[in-house]
């Protein structure tokens, strides 16, 4: 029976699909073939590129002995860092000495699979390649090994060519070095801002602590820097730095490096980031610069890259005390000066944000000078000043704190003197922890202490502030020594028959134009009075000018001039005129310390030296300076001369112009002499204890009067006392043993040959004033005017002289 249903199309459909299947297979096969051919072509191209590029790769074998640029570092004798010089601030730290927390923080953010991959993160490379096809050109996902290759050998250019070289170098590094070696190079090589290269230097730069002491929070902050040292700098961009630090802490926890509790604690930790100079550092900038010059003269430009460590004779604690003592002395003087007015005035608008920005800019442009801090006045009245300091700290100044600037608070004050809103002023903390107005000083000073037994420099402060004035007054300032030079004249007199008991007349002297060859000269004592006949001992203790002039007349200026060279002075700097008796020549503070050391050590000349040892970056000794000894080859004066002069200088510190020394320090083994030049232009105190000599000078760079009542005993001596009070703690009292050739008669010391008689002679006891210069003591030419011996920068031979002073 025939069916009436329509015919089925099943067979036709099946046949139709089957006709398409071979075509599909052919298309797939063809596509696979194209892909395979393309892949082979790419591999061939890559192989050719590798074959061409590989021989041109730099030799990475030198990384087996990794030697980055390392700065010159200067240390005290007890290992405290005093300064460093070099383009790159770096502390080369072996991987074993890098704390685990620091390594974990870096791995968590930079390359968590560092110890498991072969050097290249292929997924990251593909992603970087795709990004390069667009506009972003981001090259993220670089492994630590790739970063080492890039940072050590390649430029920062972003291109396919550089990426290929980077991958090839990565393979070479992974083949040549162990993972720990690669990580060590990375941790020491990477730039982290603030001139710091490597995490050890960054830890010091940002936190002021060695890398071994960083916390999880600090390590995370440092680990955020490699990506963008400027953008994530905790000093200049604290908010962005904090955000990245928190993210890294989360990554450390996610990778199992820290627990959740540790992560929470680290996130809550308040970091203390160094935003300025370290208040705890040793201020030895003048010393560090002198050392730099000495080392540069030996090593040239390699000075800044070889990683040399220079150890000096300085004791860090002594240097700090010297720095503070000199600054205190200068600021004490500054409090007695007229207020010169605010440093500048800034416009403060009514908009709070604009006001805050203006204040921040002003304080940044005029930073703190250690304890002399800057502030901007918000309110000013005769009884109270309200000012703001850095970090928006508001302070109030009242009562005695206003006295130094009282003239600036007067309604009648000149516009440039008056303290008002917007004035930038200086403030300081008092011992009572209250605020006081002050001002940056114009006066300068110098301090140097050396060991008289060998010349080792124990402390050196070349001025009030190195950043304010880099002129080293210890070695470069040629100034008149005033009465502090008298001991060298008295020492010459001992060789000409004078004794401490010799009586000299403290009576007026007058030299007319016919004698001086210029203007008449009528010298005076400091106080303008005359006390008549007195012993040489008393004359020095009271610093009587008439006594010194008469002694020099008797000794002869030419002989005295030659005698001063026994102490290291340049005779040409001390013309053979009677004005030499009053210290009218030229000296530096260092020369004075050297000269007094001859008295302190029994008559030997010493050469000052700073450097004891130089080591390389691995601690191997390159140069070592033996401690110089004292022997007859360096004798300057006889031991008996030094002994009697010490007896005279002890009297000065006991009952004379420096009596405050023994009275304050309560020990008898202190010796020294004050000095004040005409019109109080320079003030000095130079003194010693048998183990330590120190010289203090104060004055203006452009010579001018310090003030009618300012003296060496009032200005310079307190600085010396403040230093010695610390430096001599625990040092036993040491007094000199009488040498051969002296005898004590009636409580006074004499040379043996002068003890047979009374030992007492007299000079200038005639009623008539001394007639002036004889044949051997001319005073031709006008006396050296006060302030004539001033400093000048030391070019050429003078610079060489300064450096040679410190070469043992």
């Amino acid at each position: 029976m025939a069916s009436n249903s329509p015919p089925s199309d099943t067979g036709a459909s099946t046949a139709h699909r089957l006709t398409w299947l071979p075509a599909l297979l052919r298309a797939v096969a063809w596509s696979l073939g194209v892909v395979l051919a393309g892949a082979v072509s790419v591999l061939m191209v890559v192989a050719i590129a590798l074959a061409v590029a590989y021989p041109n790769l730099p030799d990475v074998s030198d990384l087996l002995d990794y030697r980055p640029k390392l700065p010159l570092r200067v240390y005290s004798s007890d290992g405290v860092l005093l300064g460093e010089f070099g383009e790159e601030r770096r502390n080369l730290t072996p991987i074993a000495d890098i704390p685990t927390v620091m390594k974990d923080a870096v791995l968590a953010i930079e390359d968590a699979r560092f110890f498991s991959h072969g050097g290249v993160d292929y997924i990251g490379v593909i992603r970087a390649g795709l990004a390069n096809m667009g506009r972003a050109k981001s090259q993220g996902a670089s492994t630590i090994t790739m970063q080492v290759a890039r940072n050590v050998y390649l430029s920062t250019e972003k291109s396919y060519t550089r990426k290929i070289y980077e991958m090839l170098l990565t393979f070479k590094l992974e083949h040549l070095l162990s993972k720990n070696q690669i990580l060590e190079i990375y941790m020491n090589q990477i730039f982290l801002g603030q001139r710091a290269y490597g995490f050890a230097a960054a830890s010091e730069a940002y936190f002021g602590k060695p890398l071994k002491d960083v916390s999880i929070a600090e390590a995370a902050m440092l680990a955020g820097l490699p990506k963008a040292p400027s953008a994530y700098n905790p000093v200049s961009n604290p908010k962005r730095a904090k955000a990245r630090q928190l993210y890294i802490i989360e990554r450390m926890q996610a990778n199992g490096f820290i627990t959740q509790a540790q992560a929470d604690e680290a996130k809550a930790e308040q970091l203390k980031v160094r935003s300025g100079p370290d208040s705890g550092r040793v201020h030895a900038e003048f010393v560090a610069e002198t050392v730099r010059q000495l080392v540069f003269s030996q090593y040239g430009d390699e000075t800044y890259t070889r990683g040399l460590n220079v150890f000096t004779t300085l004791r860090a604690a002594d240097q700090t005390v010297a720095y503070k003592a000199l600054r205190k002395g200068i600021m004490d003087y500054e409090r007695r000066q007229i207020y010169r007015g605010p440093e500048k005035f800034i416009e403060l608008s009514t908009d709070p944000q604009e006001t805050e920005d203006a204040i921040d800019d002003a304080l940044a442009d005029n930073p703190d000078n250690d304890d002399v801090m800057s502030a901007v006045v918000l309110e000013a009245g005769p009884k109270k000043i309200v000012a703001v300091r850095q970090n928006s700290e508001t302070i109030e100044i009242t009562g005695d704190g206003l006295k130094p600037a009282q003239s600036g608070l007067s309604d009648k004050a000149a516009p440039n003197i008056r303290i008002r809103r917007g004035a930038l002023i200086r403030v300081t903390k008092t011992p009572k922890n209250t605020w006081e107005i002050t001002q940056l000083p114009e006066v300068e000073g110098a301090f140097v202490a050396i060991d008289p037994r060998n010349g080792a420099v124990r402390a050196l402060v070349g001025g009030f502030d190195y950043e304010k004035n880099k002129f080293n007054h210890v070695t470069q300032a040629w100034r008149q020594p005033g009465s502090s030079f008298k001991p060298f004249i008295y020492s010459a007199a001992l060789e000409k028959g004078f004794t401490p008991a010799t009586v000299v007349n403290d009576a007026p002297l007058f030299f007319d134009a016919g004698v001086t060859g210029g203007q008449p000269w009528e010298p005076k004592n400091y106080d303008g009075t005359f006390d008549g006949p007195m012993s040489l001992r008393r004359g020095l203790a009271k610093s009587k000018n008439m006594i010194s002039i008469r002694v020099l007349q008797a000794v002869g200026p030419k002989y005295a001039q030659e005698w001063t060279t026994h102490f290291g002075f340049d005779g040409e700097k001390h013309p053979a005129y009677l004005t030499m008796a009053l210290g009218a020549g030229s000296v530096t503070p260092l020369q004075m310390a050297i000269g007094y050391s001859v008295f302190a050590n029994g008559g030997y000349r010493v050469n000052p030296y700073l450097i004891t040892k130089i080591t390389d970056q691995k601690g191997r000794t390159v140069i070592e300076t033996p401690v110089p000894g004292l022997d007859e080859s360096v004798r300057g004066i006889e031991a008996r001369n030094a002994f009697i002069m010490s007896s005279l200088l002890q009297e000065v510190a006991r009952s004379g112009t420096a009596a405050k020394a023994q009275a304050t320090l309560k020990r008898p083994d202190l010796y020294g002499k004050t000095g004040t030049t005409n019109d109080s232009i320079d003030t000095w105190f130079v003194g010693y204890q048998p183990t330590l000599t120190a010289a203090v000078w104060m004055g203006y760079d452009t010579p001018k009067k310090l003030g009618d009542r300012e003296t060496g005993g009032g200005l310079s001596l307190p600085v010396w006392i403040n230093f010695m009070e610390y430096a001599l703690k625990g040092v036993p009292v040491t007094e000199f043993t009488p040498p051969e050739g002296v005898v004590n008669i009636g409580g006074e010391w004499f040379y043996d040959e002068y003890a047979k008689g009374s030992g007492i002679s007299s000079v200038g006891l005639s009623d008539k004033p001394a007639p002036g210069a004889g044949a051997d003591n001319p005073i031709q030419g006008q006396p050296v005017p006060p302030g004539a011996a001033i400093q000048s920068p030391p070019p050429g031979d003078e610079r060489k002289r300064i450096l040679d002073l410190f070469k043992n």
Side-chain angles (χ1 to χ4, degrees):
M1 176 174 160
S3 174
N4 295 323
S5 58
S8 173
D9 63 353
T10 304
S13 298
T14 301
H16 179 74
R17 286 196 298 269
L18 289 174
T19 59
W20 281 98
L21 183 60
L24 178 63
L25 291 175
R26 285 195 300 272
V28 170
W30 184 84
S31 299
L32 289 174
V34 171
V35 170
L36 182 62
V40 170
S41 299
V42 169
L43 290 175
M44 291 179 64
V45 170
V46 170
I48 293 172
L50 294 179
V52 173
Y54 200 85
N56 295 322
L57 293 176
D59 182 10
V60 299
S61 61
D62 57 345
L63 288 183
L64 287 169
D65 185 19
Y66 174 59
R67 294 184 181 183
K69 290 182 179 180
L70 295 173
L72 168 72
R73 288 191 174 89
V74 183
Y75 295 91
S76 66
S77 60
D78 42 349
V80 177
L81 182 65
L82 303 179
E84 60 181 349
F85 301 90
E87 295 178 4
E88 300 178 2
R89 182 185 297 165
R90 179 186 281 112
N91 295 327
L92 185 58
T93 308
I95 191 67
D97 295 336
I98 298 175
T100 300
V101 66
M102 188 69 252
K103 290 183 282 190
D104 290 345
V106 169
L107 293 175
I109 191 63
E110 292 294 331
D111 194 353
R113 296 179 55 252
F114 173 70
F115 283 100
S116 59
H117 64 59
V120 176
D121 183 348
Y122 294 102
I123 295 176
V125 171
I126 292 172
R127 185 172 65 247
L130 293 174
N132 274 345
M133 295 175 65
R135 294 184 179 276
K137 282 211 163 187
S138 171
Q139 290 192 336
S142 290
T143 65
I144 283 177
T145 311
M146 294 170 74
Q147 291 185 59
V148 169
R150 180 167 65 243
N151 290 327
V152 175
Y153 292 108
L154 301 176
S155 70
T156 56
E157 174 197 5
K158 294 185 178 182
S159 66
Y160 291 113
T161 302
R162 199 217 66 185
K163 199 67 182 178
I164 291 174
Y165 273 98
E166 184 178 300
M167 291 174 61
L168 292 176
L169 280 171
T170 297
F171 293 138
K172 289 190 75 171
L173 290 173
E174 288 277 345
H175 175 73
L176 182 69
L177 305 174
S178 69
K179 287 288 187 179
N180 274 333
Q181 286 175 311
I182 294 171
L183 186 59
E184 178 180 302
I185 294 170
Y186 176 83
M187 300 289 279
N188 283 283
Q189 181 72 20
I190 195 77
F191 175 65
L192 300 171
Q194 304 292 92
R195 286 183 49 236
Y197 288 77
F199 288 92
S203 178
E204 295 283 357
Y206 291 105
F207 302 120
K209 62 168 60 175
L211 185 61
K212 64 182 180 64
D213 294 335
V214 296
S215 64
I216 294 173
E218 290 167 335
M221 182 67 78
L222 295 176
L225 291 166
K227 183 177 181 180
S230 177
Y232 298 112
N233 187 315
V235 176
S236 56
N237 288 301
K239 291 182 180 178
R240 295 184 68 179
K242 181 65 178 178
R244 183 157 176 80
Q245 178 220 29
L246 295 177
Y247 173 66
I248 292 173
I249 292 173
E250 292 174 358
R251 296 295 305 151
M252 293 176 73
Q253 192 270 327
N255 281 280
F257 293 132
I258 58 176
T259 65
Q260 184 64 54
Q262 288 176 312
D264 293 340
E265 182 181 351
K267 289 179 180 179
E269 182 178 334
Q270 295 295 317
L271 301 186
K272 295 180 180 179
V273 178
R274 288 176 56 180
S275 58
D278 182 7
S279 59
R281 70 189 175 107
V282 177
H283 285 276
E285 295 87 348
F286 291 99
V287 173
E289 171 59 19
T290 301
V291 169
R292 182 198 67 79
Q293 294 180 33
L294 288 167
V295 177
F296 185 82
S297 68
Q298 179 75 23
Y299 293 100
D301 290 337
E302 286 189 349
T303 297
Y304 311 118
T305 59
R306 286 188 56 173
L308 297 175
N309 302 300
V310 183
F311 293 88
T312 67
T313 56
L314 257 68
R315 293 185 287 225
D318 287 352
Q319 177 66 22
T320 296
V321 172
Y323 170 80
K324 291 181 177 179
L326 182 63
R327 283 179 67 95
K328 182 181 184 300
I330 290 175
M331 292 309 297
D332 285 346
Y333 169 80
E334 193 60 47
R335 285 187 185 91
R336 300 192 290 273
Q337 307 312 300
I338 296 174
Y339 187 62
R340 296 184 292 275
E343 290 184 23
K344 64 188 299 187
F345 296 92
I346 61 175
E347 291 294 331
L348 298 182
S349 72
T350 56
D351 180 83
Q353 187 59 51
E354 289 183 6
T355 295
E356 183 179 342
D357 291 343
I359 291 173
D360 288 343
D361 290 343
L363 295 177
D365 293 340
N366 300 269
D368 293 347
N369 187 301
D370 202 354
D371 54 346
V372 182
M373 296 168 273
S374 55
V376 174
V377 174
L378 299 179
E379 303 173 22
K383 294 185 177 181
K384 184 175 76 171
I385 287 178
V386 178
V388 63
R389 290 223 339 99
Q390 290 178 345
N391 301 320
S392 302
E393 177 190 6
T394 301
I395 64 173
E396 289 189 1
I397 311 166
T398 59
D400 290 342
L402 298 173
K403 286 184 178 179
Q406 202 65 52
S407 60
L409 295 171
S410 170
D411 291 336
K412 298 179 181 179
N416 63 320
I417 302 296
R418 188 176 180 184
I419 299 174
R420 59 184 185 271
R421 178 176 167 82
L424 191 141
I425 61 174
R426 292 285 169 168
V427 296
T428 188
K429 275 287 187 73
T430 69
K432 296 180 180 179
N433 203 34
T434 59
W435 290 101
E436 179 182 79
I437 294 184
T438 187
Q439 55 190 344
L440 284 173
E442 293 181 343
V443 74
E444 272 293 355
F447 179 95
V448 60
I450 68 176
D451 188 330
R453 299 165 296 184
N454 52 40
V457 178
R458 296 303 185 194
L460 187 154
V461 187
F464 179 78
D465 178 64
Y466 181 78
E467 295 304 322
K468 175 174 170 277
N469 184 352
K470 293 179 171 58
F471 189 85
N472 189 339
H473 297 83
V474 168
T475 59
Q476 296 174 259
W478 290 94
R479 309 294 295 217
Q480 291 185 348
S483 295
S484 63
F485 199 72
K486 289 176 181 177
F488 306 109
I489 306 300
Y490 280 55
S491 172
L494 295 180
E495 300 302 305
K496 288 291 189 177
F498 280 75
T499 75
T502 300
V503 175
V504 184
N505 195 12
D506 177 31
L509 286 167
F510 178 79
F511 302 94
D512 59 31
V515 175
T516 65
Q519 295 180 358
W521 183 41
E522 187 176 9
K524 304 286 186 182
N525 287 320
Y526 172 76
D527 58 6
T529 64
F530 303 95
D531 293 339
M534 64 178 63
S535 68
L536 209 66
R537 176 179 293 276
R538 194 63 189 151
L540 184 61
K542 297 185 71 174
S543 198
K544 290 292 188 175
N545 291 339
M546 303 304 106
I547 304 291
S548 298
I549 294 172
R550 282 192 164 93
V551 168
L552 184 56
Q553 276 186 302
V555 169
K558 288 185 179 178
Y559 177 82
Q561 180 190 44
E562 189 280 330
W563 185 256
T564 64
T565 64
H566 294 211
F567 299 88
F569 295 108
D570 182 353
E572 293 181 356
K573 297 283 188 180
H574 302 275
Y577 305 140
L578 289 182
T579 49
M580 181 168 55
L582 307 184
S586 300
V587 299
T588 67
L590 181 60
Q591 282 187 330
M592 292 297 284
I594 295 170
Y596 273 68
S597 291
V598 177
F599 296 138
N601 63 28
Y604 299 97
R605 279 276 307 277
V606 293
N607 290 319
Y609 72 102
L610 270 174
I611 296 173
T612 60
K613 183 172 66 172
I614 299 178
T615 65
D616 64 15
Q617 64 185 52
K618 294 186 176 180
R620 296 172 298 201
T621 299
V622 177
I623 294 174
E624 189 159 12
T625 303
V627 178
L630 301 178
D631 56 46
E632 293 306 309
S633 66
V634 292
R635 178 167 290 285
I637 61 176
E638 289 187 359
R640 62 180 186 170
N641 186 302
F643 175 79
I644 291 181
M645 283 308 306
S646 287
S647 173
L648 294 175
L649 292 171
Q650 186 179 39
E651 190 67 43
V652 177
R654 178 168 52 231
S655 66
T657 56
K660 189 177 180 181
Q662 290 194 19
T664 302
L665 300 179
K666 300 187 183 337
R667 54 188 301 157
D669 57 339
L670 303 176
Y671 315 79
K673 182 71 184 72
T674 55
T676 310
T677 61
N678 283 352
D679 295 325
S680 297
I681 287 175
D682 300 277
T683 68
W684 294 81
F685 183 77
V686 191
Y688 56 91
Q689 191 269 350
T691 64
L692 195 60
T693 304
V696 183
W697 165 84
M698 285 178 63
Y700 288 97
D701 279 344
T702 301
K704 65 178 181 179
K705 292 179 65 171
L706 290 162
D708 291 337
R709 301 175 64 86
E710 304 296 353
T711 65
L715 280 183
S716 298
L717 176 59
V719 176
W720 188 91
I721 291 174
N722 287 343
F723 173 78
M724 286 293 187
E725 187 172 24
Y726 175 84
L728 296 180
K729 279 183 181 177
V731 177
V733 171
T734 307
E735 295 199 64
F736 297 106
T737 302
E740 292 184 3
V742 298
V743 62
N744 190 287
I745 299 176
E748 188 56 272
W749 292 101
F750 300 89
Y751 281 5
D752 277 346
E753 58 266 36
Y754 304 140
K756 296 178 181 178
S758 65
I760 300 176
S761 57
S762 62
V763 175
L765 295 184
S766 165
D767 290 337
K768 296 180 181 179
D776 190 40
N777 54 346
I779 48 174
Q780 301 158 0
Q782 189 170 343
V784 180
I790 63 175
Q791 72 280 346
S792 57
D797 293 342
E798 177 64 9
R799 179 180 177 277
K800 183 177 183 298
R801 179 197 66 79
I802 293 171
L803 294 180
D804 287 345
L805 277 173
F806 291 102
K807 291 181 179 178
N808 182 35

